[in-house]
Each structure stands twice: as structure tokens, then as C-alpha cells.
Amino acid sequence: MSDKTKVDDQYWNAIAEKELKGKSPTSLNKKTPEGITIKPLYLPSDVPEQAARDLPGFEPYTRGVKATMYAGRPWTIRQYAGFSTAEESNAFYRKNLAAGQKGLSVAFDLATHRGYDSDHPRVSGDVGKAGVAIDSVEDMKILFDQIPLDEMSVSMTMNGAIIPVLAMFIVAGEEQGVDKAVLSGTVQNDILKEFMVRNTYIYPPEPSMRIVADIIEYTANEMPKFNSISISGYHMQEAGATLAQELAYTLADGMEYVRAATNKGLDVDRFAGRLSFFFCIGMDFFMEVAKLRAARMLWSRIMTDFGAQDQRSKLLRTHCQTSGVSLTEQSPHNNIIRTTIEAMAATLGGTQSLHTNSFDEAMALPTEASARIARNTQLILQHETRMTDVVDPLGGSYYVEALTKQLADEAWKLIEEVEELGGMTKAVEQGLPKMRIEEAAARRQARVDQGEDVIVGVNKYVVEDEEPIDILQIDNTKVRDSQIKRLAQVRKSRNPKALECAIQNLEDVAKSGRGNLLEAAVEAARARATLGEISDAMERAFDRHKATTRIIAGIYADAYKDDAEYKAIQSRIKDVADDKGHVPHILVSKMGQDGHDRGAKIIATAFADMGFKVDLSDMFETPQEICDKAIASNVDVIGVSSLAAGHMTLIPELIELLKAKGRDDIMVICGGVIPEQDYAFLRESGVAEIFGPGSNVLDAANALLSQLVGLRRNR
């Protein structure tokens, strides 16, 4: 620290102490969830020496992967979307492209993600929900009708069923007259994070990693313009990870994928330049800016350690998406402001492309109007703010440079922890990252419930009478019937012998470990094998993965140990237990193919700490399976967590099954992403309580206890 800085620091301390009436300025320090101490003032002495020498476009790329960044070319505006059928999605894409969107990002429905055809009995409530249904090459051809695949970059968020989806995309391109060597875009193909948080896996970790490596190999050889993997931290933050965890585990996943490819004999510089990343951008503005800067710096270091010589191999190129979890059902128009702030953090951090969420996505798929607002958010940032005039405008900020270094150091500690376990595949098998993220999610929810983390319109400045907003409703039955009809046509028109030969070859490649799975799947897609048939062929070789569910104990008990309301709830639980003769017993359940289990895990953790007896169902259960488990365990309540619009079909089905078994005494409650417009239907169906996004866990417990007491008195 220079003498001048020391004098300035001492002078500021004296003034600050005076303003604080004798308190030390350190009393204003804040501690982030990442464990980083944030000071009220940053000085030149806080800036790492390297930062003064950093330039954009040069190692370690902290300031950007290109020398001119947005001054030379703005970020790509993407819109992540898929609506029920390929026809509807295609119409939406073409309209958006005409309105200024520059690339396509495809959202698939949950049946597709999990490798099921639309006529499979396990996906009756999932078809066309949360994305587009793809069963065959014919669907893929309709999806990109009149969209020239030799000109358009296409991003596809797909992991579990990545082999059939990518194979069908390649064949759809061929039949549009576009050779696979010309296709450009990105597939997510990031299976490790599925085992940690999102859960749309199909096969166990080891064969899943073989799929990743085969895709990297195939695209390196056949598709030079295509990014074979988008290593995603997005869903980690959405599941509750701190930014240090998101950063560390995303880069650790990347390291594991590089190892998988090099183990197949690929030179690192042959494929590393086509790897890309995908980060979530939440409301911690400066930390998000620092995260993207730290990510580039650390990846350059990691790839140098892997022996990369080509500078392109050391570039961390990233797509970003604004947070979904930060969106609230309460005062939803506030979400427009949140998304704008998050978009600014992503662009000031130096993302290459960006998707901005629509303000109504806490309740349903976006409407055309809300999607236009989200897209215009980026257009306004690009054209009206002059943000694109300067490369890395926050570079040199004492605070941002210091934060970048601190966050990188915290992330590196977590990477070293994973490496000590033998890499991310081993860490995932042992459940370490999943456990760390679930703990962070529970702590975050406890801070929100206690009002320590303020969410405007949710736990502070609450508006009592909200004006309803229009939402997009998907007729699941209509979509499924349409898909089943097209499936029947495809199956009827194809060559059975060619199909059988192609499917058998794919299964042989999977079982033997020889050959390339994607290459074999392309042949199967040409023979008009369906997505489910291709997935089943590999499942016969690999098996289907089933995760172990567990409940974390002690986090809520620790956060609320001195809280009067929490103790009052514990007292009420004892009273109900005395009245009923047993502790109130709840089965927290997930039905359908929705893999987002953050809400279910938080409720299970919190309610268990309060004193409820809690069972947590496996993922992907059917209403019949939940009904049978509830009756076998003789629970008092079934709590259904819904985040992908299956509540309109699956919950009424569960209630009818309970009635048919003579157990309509088992109360059904639900929570998650449920539009208020659906509440009346659910209540008429027999749902006792509904808890939308942002519901306070203690309020939910009190409401449930009141229902249990009322139910007891009415008997």
C-alpha cells in the first residue's frame, strides 16, 4: 500500500467512524453465501497486480475472449423456447427471427428429455409441457421448416436423450439439403450436472460419460462448426448453489469432459475450441460480473494445465440466461426489472450470447407478449444504453477486480476438493456436489423466510390485491393426441427390416463399447426409429439410472433455533400428535418427468426439522405409484411439488386414485409453479392447500397444521 493510499484509507476510516458514531467501519462488512467478506470501501491496494496488465483478447482472458468484444460485435440475442408441438414452435421461431432475434435455442418437453415417446404411459401429463415434443425426424423437420440450417445457429438444451435428438437434427439437416459439416450451433450434452441438480438423466454416470465422449469425437471429425457441449452451471444456481459452487462445479465438469475426450485418443486442441459454457445470472449484480471474469481466468489456467497449445482451446466462451428462480409469482411485473438487472450483469461480465426470461415464467410458459418484452430488453441494452461502446467497462474497478480474484480463489478450493475425490464423475457418484448444493438451497430459503434476504413483493413491500395477468395454457391432451397420431404414421410408413437392422446395430455398439453411438443413432434416425426406440436400445445395454433420495437434517433447526414462531410451530405439531396419536406424517412427492426437485427437497428438509414425520418419494413417480406409497405408509398428507405444468392432469388423477381406494382421508396439498388461475380447478378437484412460488415455509407449515386440526374436528 502506497503512503498516499494509506493516508486516504486512514482519513476515510476517521470520517466513517464519525458517521457511525464511534463504531468501526468493519461493522459494515457483509458476508456472502460464498464466504467472501465484502467491505464498504475498496482501494488500489485491493486490486491484484495481474489485473493492471490484463487486456481483453489475451491470456488469461479475464477481460474478455475477444480484443474488441461488443465494440466490434454485440452479444447474440437468443430466445430459449419450445411450445407444445413442432408446428407451434416453428411459427414462434420464425416470428422472433423476423423481430431481431439472431439465434435459436430449443426447449424440449420432459418426455423428450427422458427418452420417452409421447405415447408412453409414464408421460401422459408431460407431453408438450415446458417445451416441444420430438418423437421422430418428422417432428424435427417441421420444427425447422423454412429456417435455413446452413445459415442459422441452433442451440439445443438436451442431455439425457442427446443421442436421438442430435441424430434427428443431423438427418433433418440432410433432408433439408444441408450437410452436417455445415451445421452450426450447440448441444448442451452436459450430463454430470443432471446427476447433481436437474435430474433429466436416463443412463448411469459411466455410460453417460461415454455418450458425451462419443459426441465430442463425432462432431470433431464430422461437424467442425458445431459446439459439442455446453457445460452448464445454470441449473446449479437454479437449484440453490452459491456462485462459487456454480463456478467451481461447472469448470470441474468441463475438466471431466476434457479427460473423457482425451481418453478416446483425441488431441485436446482438436476439440477444446468447440467447448462452450452456460451460466445462470442472478440478482447479485457485481458477484455475477466477477463470476464470468473469474470463469475465463480459471479456464485458461485449466486448459494450459491440460497441455493446450492453441489459444482457442483456452477461451471460455459462454451463453448466459437470466435467473428463473429470481422470478416471483407475487407482483410479477417486478420480474421485468429483475431480468433487466441480470441482463446488464451478464453483458458487463462479457457473455457471448444471452437469453432473457419472460416476466411470467414463475407461473407458466411465456406468452407472445411477455417474450417480446424479454427480447426487447436486450435490444434496448444494445441500442440505447451505449454499453457496447467500451470493452470491459468495469475492468479496473477496485471492487470488481478484488471480487474476481476472491471468487476465483473460493471456486478453486472446491475444484481441488473434487479433484481429490478423483474428478467429477467420482464426486457425483459419492453425492458430494449434490449435498453441498442442497445445503446451500436450504440456507438460502431460510434467509428469505426470515426476511434476512429481502425479496420485494414477497417478504417485504407486499401488495395484497394483485391484478391477474394473462398466461399461456397448453392443452396437454390435444398435444399428446396429435403426437400419437404422427407417431402412428411414422411407424406405418417406415421399412421394418431397415429399422430392425439399425436398432440392433445401435444396441451392439452400446453393449460392445466399440464404435460411435451417435454415428449408429444417425443411421437409426434415417430408418425413422423413434426417440423412444433409440433410447430403449441403449437402455437395454446401459440400464436406466435411479437416484437415491435423502433429506438433509439440521439446517432449518439451526437457522430458527431462537425464533418464537418456529418454536410455536413445533408446539403445534406436538399438540396435533397428541390429538391424533401419532406425529403428523407427510409424503413429499414428485410426479411426472419434471426433474427440478429444489422445492421438494427444501420442504422435506424444513418440515422434518420442525418435527413432522417426512417421507420423500423417488423422482419421476406416476400418480398410481404415489397413491400406493401413501397408503402403504399410512400418511396423513401428500405434498405434491410441481414445476412443469403437470399439476392440471397428474394431481386430479392422484386424488381420484385415493378415492377409488377408499383413502380420500389422505389430504393432498401442492406447491410450485402453479398459476393462480389454476387454483380454483385444483381446489374443486380436492386439493386442500396450494403454495405458489415464494411461499414462506413457516406459513405453509401453519396452514397445513390448521388443515389437519380442522380435518380431525370434522370427523
Side-chain angles (χ1 to χ4, degrees):
M1 186 183 290
S2 70
D3 290 341
K4 184 178 184 309
T5 302
K6 195 178 292 183
V7 170
D8 289 344
D9 186 12
Q10 291 168 353
Y11 180 71
W12 178 84
N13 270 286
I15 297 296
E17 276 192 29
K18 191 174 179 182
E19 290 179 359
L20 295 170
K21 297 183 169 44
K23 280 188 185 177
S24 168
T26 58
S27 65
L28 298 175
N29 288 357
K30 301 287 192 298
K31 199 83 166 177
T32 74
E34 294 76 20
I36 293 171
T37 299
I38 304 297
K39 304 185 299 181
L41 177 68
Y42 283 79
L43 298 164
S45 56
D46 294 303
V47 178
E49 285 185 24
Q50 172 67 35
R53 299 190 296 273
D54 284 344
L55 286 170
F58 294 85
E59 289 188 63
Y61 306 107
T62 311
R63 301 196 64 187
V65 294
K66 290 183 177 293
T68 56
M69 287 301 288
Y70 307 147
R73 178 185 174 187
W75 67 89
T76 300
I77 298 173
R78 292 190 181 274
Q79 200 77 13
Y80 175 58
F83 294 97
S84 61
T85 64
E87 291 91 342
E88 288 188 40
S89 296
N90 174 262
F92 181 84
Y93 294 154
R94 286 194 283 128
K95 188 175 290 187
N96 282 7
L97 290 170
Q101 185 177 311
K102 298 300 183 184
L104 294 180
S105 294
V106 184
F108 298 94
D109 76 350
L110 292 168
T112 303
H113 272 288
R114 294 270 294 144
Y116 293 116
D117 286 334
S118 294
D119 58 355
H120 195 286
R122 295 197 75 88
V123 299
S124 59
D126 297 299
V127 177
K129 297 284 192 179
V132 61
I134 297 292
D135 291 313
S136 72
V137 169
E138 298 307 314
D139 289 327
M140 195 69 82
K141 287 168 67 177
I142 293 168
L143 186 66
F144 296 110
D145 182 41
Q146 299 179 60
I147 296 173
L149 292 177
D150 55 344
E151 300 174 13
M152 184 58 56
S153 170
V154 177
S155 172
M156 293 185 286
T157 301
M158 177 53 63
N159 301 283
I162 182 61
I163 287 286
V165 165
L166 185 51
M168 290 173 185
F169 176 71
I170 290 167
V171 175
E174 287 176 0
E175 296 186 10
Q176 200 187 82
V178 180
D179 187 85
K180 57 182 173 288
V182 180
L183 294 172
S184 66
T186 304
V187 283
Q188 195 163 97
N189 192 27
D190 176 9
I191 201 61
L192 286 172
K193 69 99 172 44
E194 298 295 330
F195 295 112
M196 278 187 262
V197 289
R198 190 165 176 252
N199 300 312
T200 51
Y201 43 70
I202 301 176
Y203 316 107
E206 192 172 321
S208 294
M209 286 298 292
R210 179 189 166 192
I211 288 170
V212 172
D214 277 12
I215 290 170
I216 293 173
E217 178 185 53
Y218 183 93
T219 53
N221 293 332
E222 307 287 341
M223 303 171 72
K225 297 175 69 177
F226 208 81
N227 299 323
S228 56
I229 190 166
S230 175
I231 305 154
S232 174
Y234 184 88
H235 303 93
M236 297 180 200
Q237 188 180 145
E238 292 288 275
T242 67
L243 270 61
Q245 289 170 342
E246 179 193 5
L247 176 56
Y249 296 151
T250 303
L251 297 184
D253 282 352
M255 294 164 71
E256 196 77 341
Y257 296 136
V258 170
R259 289 192 188 102
T262 54
N263 287 343
K264 287 185 73 72
L266 288 173
D267 180 83
V268 68
D269 285 322
R270 280 204 57 211
F271 66 87
R274 303 308 305 178
L275 302 181
S276 67
F277 288 80
F278 174 31
F279 286 105
C280 181
I281 304 295
M283 286 296 289
D284 194 342
F285 186 87
F286 290 104
M287 190 73 80
E288 292 289 4
V289 172
K291 181 183 74 183
L292 297 184
R293 302 173 95 252
R296 290 191 291 269
M297 178 173 65
L298 290 176
W299 188 245
S300 174
R301 170 182 172 182
I302 287 165
M303 293 309 293
T304 299
D305 290 345
F306 270 112
Q309 300 297 314
D310 190 329
Q311 293 303 304
R312 289 173 297 180
S313 299
K314 302 179 184 182
L315 300 179
L316 183 141
R317 295 164 300 109
T318 188
H319 170 70
C320 288
Q321 181 175 338
T322 59
S323 173
V325 166
S326 71
L327 305 180
T328 65
E329 179 189 37
Q330 303 90 332
S331 300
H333 289 100
N334 289 345
N335 296 332
I336 298 172
I337 302 162
R338 293 186 177 104
T339 294
T340 303
I341 290 167
E342 291 167 353
M344 288 178 66
T347 53
L348 289 171
T351 188
Q352 275 65 64
S353 68
L354 178 63
H355 164 80
T356 32
N357 287 335
S358 301
F359 74 88
D360 50 0
E361 289 187 61
M363 294 153 283
L365 286 170
T367 63
E368 188 174 322
S370 67
R372 184 171 61 251
I373 292 170
R375 184 174 60 253
N376 285 348
T377 300
Q378 295 196 54
L379 291 171
I380 290 166
L381 289 180
Q382 281 194 1
H383 295 287
E384 297 187 29
T385 65
R386 306 198 70 90
M387 281 176 57
T388 59
D389 290 357
V390 177
V391 180
D392 188 28
L394 292 181
S397 158
Y398 305 152
Y399 177 38
V400 170
E401 296 291 2
L403 199 55
T404 300
K405 174 68 165 57
Q406 287 176 290
L407 188 56
D409 289 345
E410 290 299 319
W412 194 254
K413 291 175 192 173
L414 294 173
I415 291 171
E416 288 180 324
E417 182 181 45
V418 168
E419 289 295 287
E420 284 170 10
L421 293 175
M424 190 51 97
T425 303
K426 296 293 184 187
V428 163
E429 288 171 348
Q430 294 179 40
L432 174 75
K434 190 175 186 69
M435 179 185 70
R436 291 264 193 271
I437 292 169
E438 287 173 1
E439 288 172 350
R443 290 193 184 95
R444 159 71 170 162
Q445 188 61 45
R447 292 196 306 272
V448 171
D449 288 346
Q450 290 179 304
E452 184 181 334
D453 288 1
V454 173
I455 310 294
V456 174
V458 175
N459 61 2
K460 202 168 184 180
Y461 313 111
V462 178
V463 176
E464 293 301 327
D465 297 315
E466 295 275 8
E467 286 289 325
I469 62 169
D470 292 331
I471 61 165
L472 180 68
Q473 292 281 12
I474 300 294
D475 187 338
N476 165 248
T477 303
K478 182 180 176 183
V479 174
R480 189 165 189 255
D481 289 345
S482 169
Q483 289 299 124
I484 289 173
K485 185 177 178 181
R486 188 177 293 143
L487 267 169
Q489 292 171 341
V490 168
R491 288 169 179 152
K492 186 178 178 181
S493 63
R494 61 196 183 182
N495 182 325
K497 193 166 185 180
L499 171 73
E500 183 182 353
C501 181
I503 286 293
Q504 187 58 58
N505 178 59
L506 174 60
E507 189 174 338
D508 291 344
V509 169
K511 284 179 177 175
S512 68
R514 295 186 296 274
N516 188 285
L517 290 164
L518 180 55
E519 183 178 8
V522 168
E523 292 303 318
R526 286 196 188 109
R528 288 314 189 260
T530 68
L531 177 128
E533 289 165 343
I534 293 173
S535 297
D536 287 348
M538 292 190 291
E539 186 177 337
R540 288 191 289 274
F542 298 149
D543 203 3
R544 185 171 277 265
H545 180 68
K546 186 174 181 180
T548 302
T549 57
R550 62 190 179 83
I551 299 171
I552 295 169
I555 289 176
Y556 262 76
D558 182 59
Y560 281 92
K561 59 189 173 188
D562 299 319
D563 187 89
E565 186 182 358
Y566 186 80
K567 290 178 180 177
I569 290 173
Q570 291 181 310
S571 179
R572 288 191 74 190
I573 291 170
K574 288 177 184 174
D575 290 343
V576 172
D578 291 341
D579 186 44
K580 293 174 72 68
H582 65 267
V583 172
H585 188 179
I586 181 171
L587 170 63
V588 178
S589 64
K590 290 289 297 181
M591 293 191 295
Q593 300 305 306
D594 168 31
H596 297 87
D597 61 349
R598 174 180 180 168
K601 291 283 182 68
I602 285 172
I603 289 295
T605 295
F607 275 42
D609 278 1
M610 290 175 202
F612 287 92
K613 182 178 180 182
V614 179
D615 294 338
L616 183 60
S617 81
D618 290 331
M619 300 289 295
F620 315 119
E621 298 279 64
T622 64
Q624 184 67 64
E625 288 164 342
I626 294 298
C627 175
D628 292 345
K629 285 185 178 181
I631 292 171
S633 300
N634 198 28
V635 302
D636 301 297
V637 183
I638 301 172
V640 181
S641 173
S642 175
L643 277 87
H647 57 273
M648 296 290 277
T649 51
L650 299 174
I651 294 174
E653 184 180 340
L654 171 63
I655 291 170
E656 288 304 313
L657 288 167
L658 290 169
K659 285 180 182 174
K661 294 276 188 177
R663 290 306 308 271
D664 54 346
D665 60 307
I666 297 177
M667 186 191 305
V668 176
I669 63 174
C670 61
V673 179
I674 301 173
E676 195 169 346
Q677 289 92 321
D678 295 347
Y679 285 14
F681 170 81
L682 291 172
R683 289 192 176 109
E684 287 169 12
S685 300
V687 174
E689 288 283 353
I690 303 167
F691 305 102
S695 295
N696 183 288
V697 172
L698 269 61
D699 290 346
N702 270 319
L704 176 55
L705 288 167
S706 294
Q707 285 280 355
L708 288 170
V709 170
L711 189 66
R712 182 73 175 172
R713 285 174 181 161
N714 290 333
R715 286 184 179 162

